[in-house]
């Protein structure tokens, strides 16, 4: 392959990898009074994808604990956590991002799991074995899913 032929191919690979290179790793997230100013991906979140994350059992499943009036089709919404109605009126984008990433930075007594947390656990288990896990567990949500959930929460105004 000549130099001129492989150079555009290399450029295409680098451009497609750019979002992954810009992603902030869970242990590199910077909190300021519970808020996270910087986007985790540099890519705007998609509120439609965020709604899917919030209502999917294998993903965030936010509706297991939170009620959301804008989602009347959700069966059996939880009521053990605050309703999310008007969240965008109560919190800034940075505050919402911080709460979704790890609510304990804002609410120390919260039982909400850190959705983008991989360390600092007391003793995570290794899937029903009764043994401690080897190394850090992966985050519950990836960086883009966090941004998508934040984008959806920003639509929830009174």
């Amino acid at each position: 392959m000549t130099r001129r032929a492989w150079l555009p191919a290399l450029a295409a690979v680098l451009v497609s990898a750019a979002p992954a290179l810009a992603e902030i790793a869970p242990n590199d997230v910077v909190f300021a009074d519970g808020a996270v100013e910087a986007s985790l991906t540099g890519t705007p979140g998609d509120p439609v994808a965020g709604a899917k994350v919030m209502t999917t059992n294998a993903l965030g499943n936010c509706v297991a604990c939170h009620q959301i009036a804008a989602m009347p089709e959700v069966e059996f919404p939880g009521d053990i956590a605050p309703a999310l109605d008007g969240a965008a009126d109560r919190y800034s984008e940075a505050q919402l991002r911080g709460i979704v990433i790890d609510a304990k930075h804002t609410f120390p007594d919260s039982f909400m799991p850190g959705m983008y947390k991989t360390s600092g656990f007391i003793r995570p288990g290794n899937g029903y074995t009764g043994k401690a896990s080897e190394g850090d567990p992966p985050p519950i949500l990836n960086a883009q899913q966090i941004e998508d959930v934040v984008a959806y929460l920003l639509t929830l105004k009174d």
Side-chain angles (χ1 to χ4, degrees):
M1 186 179 257
T2 68
R3 182 178 183 162
R4 289 185 187 193
W6 65 265
L7 204 52
L10 178 62
V13 168
L14 291 175
V15 167
S16 67
L21 296 174
E23 188 172 293
I24 297 173
N27 291 332
D28 294 335
V29 173
V30 176
F31 287 87
D33 295 323
V36 176
E37 289 291 334
S39 166
L40 299 178
T41 63
T43 303
D46 175 3
V48 173
K52 180 176 170 109
V53 169
M54 293 178 70
T55 58
T56 301
N57 290 349
L59 296 174
N61 199 24
C62 307
V63 295
C65 298
H66 296 277
Q67 291 184 0
I68 307 170
M71 294 182 166
E73 71 283 358
V74 171
E75 292 184 10
F76 312 114
D79 61 0
I80 60 173
L84 296 178
D85 304 316
D89 293 325
R90 292 190 303 277
Y91 303 104
S92 69
E93 179 178 352
Q95 290 169 320
L96 288 170
R97 185 178 293 110
I99 292 167
V100 175
I101 290 171
D102 188 1
K104 289 185 181 8
H105 285 265
T106 302
F107 307 109
D109 295 330
S110 176
F111 54 83
M112 181 174 159
M115 296 293 180
Y116 196 63
K117 180 178 177 176
T118 59
S119 63
F121 298 103
I122 295 170
R123 184 179 179 267
N126 191 9
Y128 308 108
T129 65
K131 298 178 182 177
S133 63
E134 305 271 333
D136 291 335
I140 295 170
L141 299 177
N142 67 39
Q144 189 58 52
Q145 290 168 327
I146 295 290
E147 294 303 323
D148 293 343
V149 169
V150 170
Y152 179 76
L153 291 172
L154 288 169
T155 69
L156 299 178
K157 297 183 180 235
D158 285 328

